């Protein structure tokens, strides 16, 4: 069964700019199972309500907006990471059902499940009389 | 990898620069994997705040200890369980045990340490002991 599956989710280049903030490409894991795909994307610092998911013409775009966590009246003494927004796009193959996408967010990780589309039913084409 | 030409046609003079910078980031990540978790340290006269990015880690799997002026973070990033017969198409996230020791700018009182975990970011506030605070000495009028 798994060999027949040709689900393809490839990262696509995006020319989008952000509003001045650094934009990271979230580290992503993708698991494919019989029922569909599961994507897990790391977006630390992003609250569930600040995630935007859209599908347009087979391209899934995920954006996460970070709310700066700088404590008030503190100066940065040591820095190993910079906060930023997240953005990544994936092209979905046609055997996936974009309407069935479900999203969950926990501990800064967004989990998307994308079900496989129901197999297109064979369609009979009627020949119209002249 | 797919690189459609559309990205080059957008009128954005910084698109190429950003792409190069991002590719460099990717290269750097592969060449020199950074310590996990990455931390930021904030400071003022009364306290220090340490923030750490720990996406996907359960709060129960993080152990925080403070001794003298060293704060230690220990824990485990558990890999998600995949169903039987499932295939990994992309694996970019890291998993496993981690431990980091962070030197604080003062000797901390373990009772005055507070930690919160929200949206994958750990935030630890450490109060500076009274005896350790810089004190302003008034000049007496003669």
């Amino acid at each position: 069964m798994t060999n027949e599956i040709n689900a393809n989710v490839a990262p696509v280049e995006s020319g989008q700019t952000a509003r001045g903030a650094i934009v990271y490409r979230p580290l992503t894991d993708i698991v494919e199972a019989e029922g569909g795909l599961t994507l897990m994307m790391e977006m630390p610092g992003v609250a569930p309500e600040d995630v935007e998911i859209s599908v347009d013409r087979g391209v899934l775009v995920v954006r996460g907006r970070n709310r700066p966590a700088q404590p008030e009246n503190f100066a940065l003494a040591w820095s190993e990471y910079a906060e930023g927004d997240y953005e990544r796009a994936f092209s979905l193959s046609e055997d996936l059902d974009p309407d069935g996408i479900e999203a969950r967010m926990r501990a800064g990780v967004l989990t998307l499940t994308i079900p496989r589309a129901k197999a297109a039913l064979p369609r009979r084409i009627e020949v119209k009389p002249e | 990898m797919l690189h459609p030409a559309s990205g080059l046609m957008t009128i954005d003079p910084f698109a190429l620069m950003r792409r190069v910078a991002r590719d460099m980031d990717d290269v750097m990540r592969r060449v020199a994997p950074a310590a996990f978790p990455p931390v930021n340290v904030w400071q003022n006269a009364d306290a220090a705040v340490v923030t750490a990015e720990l996406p996907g880690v359960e709060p129960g799997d993080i152990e925080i200890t403070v001794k003298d002026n060293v704060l230690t973070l220990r824990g485990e990033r558990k890999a998600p369980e995949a169903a039987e017969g499932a295939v990994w198409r992309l694996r970019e996230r890291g998993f496993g045990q981690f431990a980091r020791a962070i030197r604080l700018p003062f000797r901390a009182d373990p009772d005055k340490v507070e930690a919160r975990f929200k949206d994958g970011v750990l935030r630890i506030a450490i109060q500076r002991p009274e005896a350790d605070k810089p004190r302003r000495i008034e000049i007496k009028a003669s």
Side-chain angles (χ1 to χ4, degrees), chain B residues 120-137:
Chain B
V121 177
L122 178 69
R123 180 196 173 112
I124 308 163
I126 309 119
Q127 295 301 316
R128 194 168 191 151
E130 272 314 311
D132 200 68
K133 279 186 192 170
R135 204 164 306 154
R136 190 188 162 128
I137 289 123

Side-chain angles (χ1 to χ4, degrees), chain A residues 13 17 25 27-32 42 45 47 71 73-75 77-81 88 106-109, chain B residues 3 12 19 22 26 39-44 51 53 55-56 58 86-93 100 119-120:
Chain A
E13 206 75 23
T17 56
R25 192 160 48 152
L27 293 177
T28 304
D29 281 351
I30 300 176
V31 189
E32 179 179 346
E42 288 188 352
N73 302 320
F74 276 81
W78 174 259
S79 176
E80 291 177 350
Y81 70 92
R88 195 157 180 179
R106 185 178 168 81
V109 175
Chain B
H3 291 280
D12 179 356
R19 195 168 311 147
R22 201 188 59 198
D26 289 352
V39 298
N40 284 348
V41 182
W42 310 80
Q43 201 185 328
N44 69 12
T51 57
E53 287 190 327
E58 293 296 319
V87 183
W88 288 88
R89 292 291 177 209
L90 191 61
R91 284 201 102 155
E92 295 177 346
R93 302 171 62 205
R100 282 211 72 182
D119 300 327

Side-chain angles (χ1 to χ4, degrees), chain A residues 125-130:
Chain A
I125 291 130
E126 299 285 334
V127 179
K128 283 180 188 161
E130 274 193 283

Side-chain angles (χ1 to χ4, degrees), chain B residues 6 11 13 26 32 43 46 49 51 54 56 59 66 73-74 90 95 97 105 108 112 114 119 121 124-125 128 138:
Chain B
S6 62
I11 306 161
D26 289 352
Q43 201 185 328
D46 302 322
V49 172
T51 57
L54 289 154
V66 177
L73 299 178
R74 231 184 281 271
L90 191 61
F95 299 100
Q97 299 197 332
K112 289 184 173 163
E114 263 182 36
D119 300 327
V121 177
I124 308 163
R128 194 168 191 151
E138 296 292 332

Side-chain angles (χ1 to χ4, degrees), chain B residues 60-108:
Chain B
D61 290 335
I62 307 168
E63 186 195 305
I64 306 160
T65 51
V66 177
K67 190 173 187 320
D68 297 332
N69 66 336
V70 178
L71 170 81
T72 308
L73 299 178
R74 231 184 281 271
E76 190 182 355
R77 284 196 280 178
K78 288 182 178 145
E81 282 174 29
E84 211 178 313
V87 183
W88 288 88
R89 292 291 177 209
L90 191 61
R91 284 201 102 155
E92 295 177 346
R93 302 171 62 205
F95 299 100
Q97 299 197 332
F98 61 85
R100 282 211 72 182
I102 297 135
R103 195 186 299 265
L104 299 170
F106 49 82
R107 291 165 74 95

